Amino acid sequence: MNDAPKGLRLHIAIFGRRNVGKSSLLNALTGQSVAIVSDMPGTTTDPVEKTLEMLPVGPVVFLDTAGLDDVGELGKLRTERSLQVMRRTDVALLVTVADEWGADESGLAARLVELKIPFVVVQNKADAAPEVEAGFARPHDLSADIPVIRASAHSGSGLNEIREAIARIAPEDAMHQPALVSDLLPEKGVLVLVVPIDTGAPKGRLILPQVQAIRDSLDGRKICMVVTEEELPAAIGCLKNPPDLVVCDSQVVHLVNRDTPAHIPMTTFSILMARFKGDLSQMARGAAALQRLKPGDRVLIQEACSHHAQKDDIGRIKLPRWLQKMAGGELEITVAAGKEFSGYDPTFKTVLHCGGCVITRGQMMARQRAADMAGCPMTNYGVAISLVQGVLQRVLEPFPEALSVFEAHTGRSGIGSAQDLR
Ligand SMILES: Nc1nc2c(ncn2[C@@H]2O[C@H](COP(=O)(O)OP(=O)(O)OP(=O)(O)O)[C@@H](O)[C@H]2O)c(=O)[nH]1
Ligand code: SF4
Ligand SMILES: [Mg+2]
C-alpha cells in the first residue's frame, strides 16, 4: 500500500494561524521530521506534502500549510497558496493554540463549511496550558458535530484521538472508491480490454487505468482478456459467448466501435475513470454543453498536473481543434495546469478537464461542485473525445443514468467520423 498512487490517498491538510504548531503536529502525526519547526512565525512558506500509511485510515497524504494570518505582500501570496490547498483537501485539521479562537479561526471554519470539507479542530499546546485545563472551552460558533480535540504535538497527547476523528469524518467518497469496472459485469463475466500498443504507449508497461482495470476485474473474480485493437475481432470470435463488456482506449474508440457488434456493451477507460474519479452524469451533461459552443465562447482547458505538452497534445492541441470545428469557428481557449485552483470564472462556457490521474475522487468532486456553483458546465477529455467521435451514446450505455442525462441535454451528435479528427 505504501506506493498507492496519490490520486487514491485521502488528503489531510493542516490549517491555522502562524506558530500554532501546524508543522509540529505534522511531524508528530507522521512520526517523522518532515516539516521545519521554529518559534519564528511564518516558518512554513510553501505547502509541504508527506505520504504515509496511517492507521486506522489507510494511505494518506498530509499537507502542511503556511499560516493563514501571514502579513505583507509575500504573506498574502502564501495565504492564497494555503487556501488553494483547501480545494484539494478531503479532511482538514484546523489548529489553534489551546482554546484561543478568534476571527481567523471562525473565518477558516466558515470557509471549510462552505466548501463542504469535514474538519477537526485541534487545540494544540495543551501541555503549555495546564492551568486552564479544566476550563478548555469549545468554540461557541462551531456546530456540535465538529470534533474538538485537545492535543500536544510535544507530549503526543490527543494524537490518537485526531487519527480516529479523521477516520470517522472522512467522506465516504474519498475513503471508499467505487469499483472501476467489476460492478458492470455479471458473476464470472468476461471483460475484453483493448490496449493499443503504438509509439505513444510507454515501453514495457501498461498505464495506470489499464492496470487498475485488470486488478479490479481480478478482485471481482471476472475473466479478463487484454488485446490490441487489431486482435479484437479474433478475440471476440474465439469466445463461445459474446463478452459482457469491451473497454478500449479513447484513441481507438472509432475502430473498436466498428469491430464490436452492437449487441455487445462497450465503453472506454476514460469513461470508467470519469465515473471512478467523479460524477459521470455531470460530465455527460457537460459534454452536451460542448455541442452548444459558438465561435468566440470561452473554454477552460484544465489539467491537474503540469506535464510537458507534446506536439499533438490531446488537451492543448487536438481537443481545441476538434471543438472549434464543432463550434464552427475560433473559441477563446484558456489553459490552466496544476493541483491548485481557485474556483471558476462564470464566463467560461465549458470547463474541459483532464482525467485527473494525480488528484483524488474527493478533489475531482470538489472541482465539479465548484464548476456547478459557478454555472460552468464541466466535462473531461475522455467524454469529449467520444462525443466528437460520435460514439458517446454508445459508450455511455453501460451507465444508464449518465446516458439519460446526456440525452436530456443533447442537441446534435458529434462531428462524425474518424477522418474528421485528423
Ligand atoms: N509547548 C508546546 N509548544 C509547541 C507545541 N507544538 C508546537 N510548539 C512550538 O510552537 C512553535 C511553532 O511551531 P511550528 O510547528 O513551527 O508552528 P507552525 O504553525 O507550523 O508555524 P508557521 O509555519 O510559522 O505557520 C515552535 O517553537 C514549537 O516548538 C506543543 O504541542 N506544545
Ligand atoms: S490525466 Fe491530467 S493529471 Fe493525469 S497526466 Fe494527464 S494532465 Fe496530468
Ligand atoms: Mg509551519
Side-chain angles (χ1 to χ4, degrees):
M1 278 303 254
N2 250 345
D3 52 2
K6 274 207 183 137
L8 295 179
R9 289 172 178 270
L10 186 79
H11 281 52
I12 306 162
I14 309 177
F15 301 105
R17 281 182 293 116
R18 286 170 299 165
N19 236 11
V20 293
K22 300 180 298 300
S23 302
S24 305
L25 272 171
L26 169 71
N27 293 344
L29 285 163
T30 57
Q32 293 173 35
S33 192
V34 182
I36 301 169
V37 167
S38 94
D39 55 5
M40 282 284 291
T43 303
T44 307
T45 52
D46 290 310
V48 173
E49 287 192 22
K50 173 67 191 165
T51 57
L52 79 149
E53 186 73 19
M54 186 182 81
L55 290 173
V57 180
V60 302
V61 182
F62 267 102
L63 298 129
D64 181 22
T65 64
L68 285 168
D69 58 341
D70 211 345
V71 286
E73 269 311 295
L74 256 181
K76 231 174 91 190
L77 286 177
R78 287 175 194 150
T79 304
E80 253 162 46
R81 290 207 65 191
S82 298
L83 289 174
Q84 283 176 357
V85 166
M86 229 180 243
R87 299 277 188 185
R88 55 188 174 104
T89 297
D90 297 313
V91 173
L93 302 184
L94 195 173
V95 184
T96 68
V97 173
D99 58 356
E100 288 171 19
W101 186 266
D104 286 318
E105 284 79 12
S106 289
L108 197 49
R111 195 164 188 137
L112 291 166
V113 169
E114 187 196 0
L115 292 172
K116 299 192 168 65
I117 300 170
F119 64 100
V120 180
V121 172
V122 179
Q123 298 180 318
N124 190 36
K125 307 197 187 183
D127 60 288
E131 70 280 8
V132 290
E133 184 152 1
F136 246 73
R138 188 185 163 85
H140 57 280
D141 54 354
L142 264 192
S143 88
D145 55 330
I146 294 167
V148 178
I149 296 169
R150 287 198 57 188
S152 164
H154 279 189
S155 75
S157 71
L159 297 183
N160 275 342
E161 281 103 311
I162 296 174
R163 294 187 185 102
E164 279 157 18
I166 292 171
R168 208 167 52 246
I169 65 171
E172 192 67 5
D173 273 349
M175 292 286 281
H176 304 286
Q177 294 275 345
L180 181 59
V181 66
S182 56
D183 61 323
L184 299 170
L185 300 159
E187 202 179 331
K188 308 231 182 291
V190 176
L191 172 67
V192 178
L193 302 179
V194 185
V195 175
I197 301 296
D198 56 14
T199 50
K203 252 199 162 48
R205 64 182 175 87
L206 297 174
I207 61 171
L208 190 58
Q210 298 159 353
V211 174
Q212 279 179 265
I214 296 170
R215 175 61 199 254
D216 184 46
S217 74
L218 295 174
D219 284 340
R221 303 294 187 263
K222 313 299 176 195
I223 297 155
C224 180
M225 282 175 99
V226 187
V227 297
T228 76
E229 67 278 18
E230 281 160 33
E231 280 68 51
L232 176 64
I236 293 175
C238 78
L239 290 170
K240 195 159 83 178
N241 297 311
D244 296 289
L245 183 66
V246 173
V247 178
C248 68
D249 193 282
S250 294
Q251 57 171 304
V252 293
V253 70
H254 54 284
L255 293 176
V256 173
N257 179 44
R258 186 195 66 195
D259 291 342
T260 306
H263 63 278
I264 299 176
M266 70 167 269
T267 194
T268 66
F269 286 107
S270 305
I271 302 273
L272 291 181
M273 289 307 287
R275 178 184 72 137
F276 187 65
K277 280 274 164 173
D279 179 348
L280 179 61
S281 295
Q282 187 184 340
M283 295 291 190
R285 180 153 49 87
L290 288 180
Q291 301 169 313
R292 294 191 290 275
L293 288 176
K294 296 187 302 298
D297 278 352
R298 299 192 71 208
V299 173
L300 176 68
I301 305 266
Q302 190 178 19
E303 301 192 331
C305 77
S306 37
H307 71 281
H308 183 69
Q310 308 289 315
K311 83 175 185 318
D312 58 347
D313 200 74
I314 191 83
R316 317 274 173 106
I317 312 288
K318 285 186 177 166
L319 274 168
R321 189 165 72 223
W322 300 339
L323 292 184
Q324 301 195 115
K325 195 162 184 176
M326 269 174 71
E330 292 276 306
L331 297 165
E332 191 190 320
I333 294 192
T334 306
V335 177
K339 281 189 185 175
E340 261 92 45
F341 82 110
S342 42
Y344 297 103
D345 178 344
T347 61
F348 286 119
K349 288 284 188 291
T350 290
V351 177
L352 189 51
H353 205 289
C354 73
C357 64
V358 301
I359 58 175
T360 63
R361 178 174 170 82
Q363 290 161 357
M364 182 58 92
M365 296 282 244
R367 288 175 180 221
Q368 291 195 254
R369 266 199 310 276
D372 214 26
M373 276 159 67
C376 302
M378 183 172 186
T379 192
N380 77 0
Y381 291 1
V383 176
I385 293 171
S386 287
L387 176 84
V388 294
Q389 303 258 18
V391 297
L392 186 57
Q393 266 143 308
R394 176 156 196 206
V395 298
L396 284 181
E397 264 167 33
F399 313 96
E401 188 190 314
L403 178 63
S404 69
V405 169
F406 176 71
E407 286 179 341
H409 290 84
T410 192
R412 57 206 152 87
S413 61
I415 57 174
S417 70
Q419 274 74 8
D420 292 323
L421 300 179
R422 295 281 139 72

